[in-house]
Amino acid sequence: MEQIDPQLKNFIVDYCNKYKVRRIYPDMLDTDTSIDLDLDIVDIEIELFVAEFAEHFHIDSSKFSWYKYGYPKGSARVRMLKLMFGYKHQWVKQLASYCYKPKFKIRVLQDALLTGKLV
C-alpha cells in the first residue's frame, strides 16, 4: 500500500478535528480511504474541504470537476448502518461500500500534491 504524505495526513486530521467531522487518527488513513464514506465529509462540507486543501497546498483546482468522481451527497442507508452498528467492524464497512460507491479517495489528493493540479 502506498504511503500518504505526512503533511497531507496532518492536514486531514487537523481538518476533521477543526470542524468536528469525526475523530480521526493518522494510523487509520491510507490511500484507499474515501473522503466521503470513511471520513464522512459530504455535501457542502466536501466543497469546503477541497477549497481548504487547494489553498493550504497551493494546488491549482481550477480544472476540478465532480463529473469524474460523482458529487458525494452521502447515503441514508450508510448513515443508518453507522448509527446502529458503528463503523469499526469490517463487515459494516463492506456493507456500507456495497450501498454507496465512493470514488473520491485520498489517492486523488496525493496525486494532486505530486502534480500540483487537482483534476
Side-chain angles (χ1 to χ4, degrees), residues 1 6 31 34 38 41 46-47 61 67 92 100-101 104 108:
M1 211 174 289
T31 54
S34 70
D38 296 327
I41 302 174
I46 195 81
E47 297 291 342
S61 64
Y67 289 117
V92 176
Y100 180 79
K101 299 289 185 212
F104 193 61
V108 175

Side-chain angles (χ1 to χ4, degrees), residues 14-106:
D14 291 343
Y15 179 89
C16 290
N17 290 336
K18 178 180 175 183
Y19 291 105
K20 296 178 176 70
V21 175
R22 188 174 156 215
R23 189 144 189 89
I24 301 294
Y25 299 101
D27 300 336
M28 306 173 45
L29 301 174
D30 62 19
T31 54
D32 287 329
T33 302
S34 70
I35 304 296
D36 47 347
L37 182 61
D38 296 327
L39 300 182
D40 204 22
I41 302 174
V42 293
D43 288 331
I44 300 299
E45 294 171 353
I46 195 81
E47 297 291 342
L48 177 63
F49 179 81
V50 169
E52 283 199 21
F53 169 77
E55 182 181 326
H56 185 267
F57 291 104
H58 307 291
I59 302 291
D60 178 21
S61 64
S62 61
K63 303 276 189 217
F64 180 73
S65 173
W66 286 111
Y67 289 117
K68 184 176 181 180
Y69 307 105
Y71 190 75
K73 57 188 182 299
S75 167
R77 288 182 186 162
V78 171
R79 275 190 294 260
M80 184 62 77
L81 280 171
K82 288 180 178 181
L83 182 67
M84 292 176 66
F85 303 109
Y87 199 65
K88 295 185 180 194
H89 302 291
Q90 189 62 31
W91 68 272
V92 176
K93 291 179 182 181
Q94 289 175 340
L95 189 58
S97 66
Y98 176 75
C99 295
Y100 180 79
K101 299 289 185 212
K103 295 179 183 173
F104 193 61
K105 299 187 178 202
I106 291 180

